[in-house]
Amino acid sequence: MTEPTRCDVLILGGGLAGLCLAVQLRRRFPDIDVVVLERKRHPVPVAAHKVGESTVEIGAQYFAETLGLREHLDAEHIRKFGFRFFWSEGREDLEGITELGVSRVMPTPTWQIDRGVFENHLRERVHALGARFIDAATVRAIDVGQGDQLHHVRATIADADQAFSARWLVDASGRAGLVKRKLGLAEANGHDVNSVWFRIDARLSIDAWCDDPTWGTRCSPPERWRSTNHLCGEGYWVWLIPLGSGAHSVGIVCDARRHPLERMNTFDKALDWLREHQPLVARHCEAQRGRLMDFLFLRGFSYGCKQVFSGDRWALTGEAGVFLDPFYSPGSDFIAIANTYICELVAHDREGRSIAPYARLYEQLYFSFYENTLSLYRDQYAIFGDAEIMAIKIIWDYAYYWGILCPLFFQERLADLAVLGDLREDMLAAATLNRDLQALFRRWYAHGTRESRPVMWDQGKLDWFLQMNRALRDRLDADGTRVRVRDGLARLRDLAATITTRAVRAGIDTGLPAPDSQGSTPLFARVA
């Protein structure tokens, strides 16, 4: 074995999380020595590479602005037409069901990402910025240092053993969880869900699945296919995500108790399941059977972690740490948040500070964001088939995300401890309110299911909703950020009053104190 290769930061895993971190580190610290070890050979295939293709506002902001990739995103990927939801269990008449989405693209951009194209471009950026990327590298041994000790890793590269020594060790190895397994950090989170997915080398244009001219012209441009389309039923949802390469990603995500994985763990079984629950999707996938690119499934994909940042200068990012749920596409958000905290810890270390107290604080914040987001999913899948309650829940979940977490990221305040300290009580109040509303949705659903009906609810026609999205791009100072988050909390309180009033009128025992007012925030704006 040759002499160990020394570096400042050794990243285990050159997928999305690891490549993004390497780019972010080199952009912030041009003299830092970064090495990325990736098991797969590069370049990776387009389209049929990895799932996690849909971005939302934090992840999109991270890719476009923090990493400086806006030009690539606009040129090579699809500008997303927002999230779109159809309550279409067993139905083929899209014009006769409830749809929730926007009729025009929202102001703050998000994209549908072809992960193969994107990760190949990220690898090129890593090289251009002066970091070292080594593919076809299999990690054989890890020795996690303590205190001022270096971390040591042994890997096999081109049939030869190579040793690495690093001041910082970052696990970005995805579900392999190399450091997580080494240190026994795996933790269940009580969210038992499974998924199957496949890519078809053809565009699945949902706009062509309905002949009703009124339905077709409700969106401008008439390109619903650009959305992350969710087709929902009790205990499950199906995704349709277009890729810039011309392919389409299709996935089924299910509560394991209601829809066993064994009913859909091959392409033929998945088609049978879709014929029963989402016959339109089944028919159009069947028609493109000859262009099937891949098929994969994953049991129990959601999990937590006992620790992600350490004062001993190691960290976990991406799926090597935690994974929530693909509904609302939060994966790239949590990569952005974890990588931002890792960069802050590296900065403190480079300035000679003890990083242990910062590691604890950042981890507490990271886990609070994780737990609050997990509450949107855990024990909620039964609700997914209820068109009225789920539409209300989606609007609430958006408001919570845009009003509380997004301002902290967009204004680069995730690690501003003075701002976060001032906002502590406000953020706790928002988290409590969110938990109360998620429980209300469950109680409301237990009262009886509401059927899908022929209507499109256009979120973009809600002035407050559109303004929340547009305001994400405002540039605010520290005081402005405090005001923005507190305004978000005020909006949540009024929205909660509106929702609670609606539930009481429906005869629901909300289990909550009576609101001070009936609320003035409208929930729905209908498209004729």
Side-chain angles (χ1 to χ4, degrees):
M1 185 182 297
T2 60
E3 285 294 311
T5 298
R6 292 286 299 269
C7 60
D8 297 319
V9 182
L10 180 61
I11 301 173
L12 306 182
L16 185 60
L19 289 168
C20 287
L21 179 60
V23 170
Q24 189 174 359
L25 284 167
R26 287 291 298 184
R27 280 172 62 89
R28 182 164 177 180
F29 313 111
D31 63 333
I32 198 168
D33 187 6
V34 178
V35 174
V36 181
L37 299 182
E38 167 54 26
R39 180 176 58 85
K40 294 182 178 180
R41 291 190 178 277
H42 272 239
V44 296
V46 301
H49 178 47
K50 294 177 182 175
V51 284
E53 298 122 331
S54 174
T55 67
V56 284
E57 285 76 14
I58 288 176
Q61 174 76 2
Y62 177 67
F63 295 147
E65 305 303 331
T66 306
L67 303 186
L69 301 175
R70 176 66 186 262
E71 183 177 346
H72 170 75
L73 291 166
D74 285 337
E76 301 295 335
H77 303 278
I78 294 170
R79 174 73 185 271
K80 188 168 137 183
F81 205 153
F83 284 143
R84 193 170 303 278
F85 305 86
F86 300 91
W87 282 271
S88 49
E89 163 71 23
R91 301 280 292 269
E92 298 191 41
D93 56 332
L94 290 176
E95 74 282 2
I97 62 173
T98 302
E99 174 185 354
L100 178 70
V102 293
S103 59
R104 297 180 183 274
V105 178
M106 297 292 273
T108 299
T110 57
W111 290 270
Q112 311 285 21
I113 302 294
D114 185 313
R115 288 285 296 273
V117 172
F118 196 48
E119 291 182 25
N120 287 336
H121 180 73
L122 281 168
R123 173 182 51 84
E124 294 171 0
R125 292 296 303 140
V126 166
H127 281 307
L129 288 166
R132 289 177 281 174
F133 178 88
I134 303 171
D135 64 350
T138 302
V139 173
R140 301 296 184 186
I142 300 171
D143 181 13
V144 180
Q146 297 181 341
D148 288 331
Q149 296 174 339
L150 296 178
H151 306 290
H152 302 284
V153 171
R154 182 170 57 83
T156 300
I157 303 166
D159 297 322
D161 282 349
Q162 176 64 51
F164 296 85
S165 298
R167 180 163 179 81
W168 278 89
L169 178 66
V170 179
D171 187 356
S173 63
R175 290 176 183 269
L178 297 175
V179 172
K180 177 193 275 188
R181 292 176 188 271
K182 172 78 175 180
L183 300 179
L185 300 176
E187 186 172 69
N189 66 7
H191 182 44
D192 188 10
V193 273
N194 305 321
S195 182
V196 307
W197 65 92
F198 51 93
R199 266 65 64 106
I200 290 177
D201 193 14
R203 178 73 68 232
L204 299 178
S205 180
I206 196 170
D207 305 273
W209 296 3
C210 179
D211 295 329
D212 185 287
T214 301
W215 184 88
T217 58
R218 283 174 179 165
C219 292
S220 180
E223 297 177 351
R224 287 175 170 91
W225 66 268
R226 287 168 46 205
S227 300
T228 298
N229 286 298
H230 305 66
L231 296 96
C232 301
E234 183 177 346
Y236 78 89
W237 60 285
V238 174
W239 81 64
L240 298 175
I241 300 175
L243 306 179
S245 59
H248 227 96
S249 175
V250 183
I252 306 169
V253 187
C254 296
D255 184 320
R257 297 165 294 184
R258 290 175 169 82
H259 301 278
L261 184 63
E262 288 70 23
R263 287 198 57 202
M264 59 188 76
N265 59 1
T266 68
F267 182 64
D268 286 331
K269 287 182 180 180
L271 281 183
D272 287 341
W273 187 93
L274 286 167
R275 288 187 191 102
E276 177 182 351
H277 296 282
Q278 294 292 339
L280 270 179
V281 179
R283 184 195 310 163
H284 289 278
C285 289
E286 175 68 40
Q288 301 291 345
R289 175 189 284 271
R291 307 186 78 172
L292 181 69
M293 302 177 74
D294 65 348
F295 182 89
L296 298 103
F297 63 88
L298 195 58
R299 186 188 303 274
F301 59 70
S302 186
Y303 50 83
C305 190
K306 297 174 184 175
Q307 185 178 1
V308 291
F309 308 136
S310 171
D312 289 327
R313 303 180 317 284
W314 58 260
L316 281 58
T317 186
E319 293 183 34
V322 302
F323 187 79
L324 287 155
D325 192 294
F327 199 78
Y328 299 137
S329 308
S332 55
D333 284 12
F334 278 82
I335 288 173
I337 295 167
N339 284 358
T340 296
Y341 282 133
I342 292 167
C343 286
E344 290 297 323
L345 290 170
V346 170
H348 290 308
D349 184 45
R350 286 165 63 89
E351 292 167 6
R353 300 189 187 98
S354 171
I355 66 165
Y358 293 101
R360 288 192 295 271
L361 284 169
Y362 295 162
E363 185 173 80
Q364 288 171 8
L365 290 162
Y366 182 80
F367 280 149
S368 73
F369 301 146
Y370 163 80
E371 288 291 341
N372 290 330
T373 307
L374 180 61
S375 71
L376 310 184
Y377 311 116
R378 189 166 52 199
D379 299 324
Q380 302 296 70
Y381 260 57
I383 301 171
F384 283 27
D386 189 304
E388 179 185 356
I389 299 172
M390 193 61 190
I392 294 171
K393 171 177 158 51
I394 289 164
I395 290 168
W396 168 266
D397 294 347
Y398 265 116
Y400 183 67
Y401 173 65
W402 287 347
I404 304 301
L405 184 53
C406 280
L408 298 177
F409 187 85
F410 274 74
Q411 305 307 325
E412 300 178 1
R413 301 291 171 182
L414 279 180
D416 187 330
L417 298 182
V419 168
L420 293 168
D422 289 345
L423 291 173
R424 182 176 183 275
E425 294 303 318
D426 304 278
M427 293 171 67
L428 288 172
T432 299
L433 196 57
N434 177 56
R435 286 194 297 271
D436 288 345
L437 265 291
Q438 300 301 330
L440 170 58
F441 298 140
R442 290 193 293 273
R443 287 193 292 272
W444 198 343
Y445 173 76
H447 193 71
T449 305
R450 282 128 293 272
E451 298 295 329
S452 189
R453 57 195 181 93
V455 63
M456 176 181 171
W457 299 120
D458 184 356
Q459 299 150 307
K461 291 187 179 300
L462 297 171
D463 289 342
W464 68 268
F465 191 88
L466 181 64
Q467 179 55 32
M468 284 190 84
N469 180 273
R470 181 182 290 116
L472 294 176
R473 298 179 297 168
D474 293 346
R475 297 306 304 156
L476 305 173
D477 60 14
D479 286 339
T481 303
R482 293 180 179 94
V483 170
R484 181 61 52 83
V485 171
R486 286 168 178 152
D487 286 347
L489 175 58
R491 172 62 66 188
L492 288 175
R493 284 174 167 149
D494 190 75
L495 182 58
T498 300
I499 294 170
T500 303
T501 299
R502 187 182 183 106
V504 169
R505 288 174 177 169
I508 309 303
D509 178 6
T510 68
L512 301 173
D516 294 334
S517 72
Q518 295 184 354
S520 60
T521 301
L523 289 171
F524 297 120
R526 181 172 181 162
V527 177

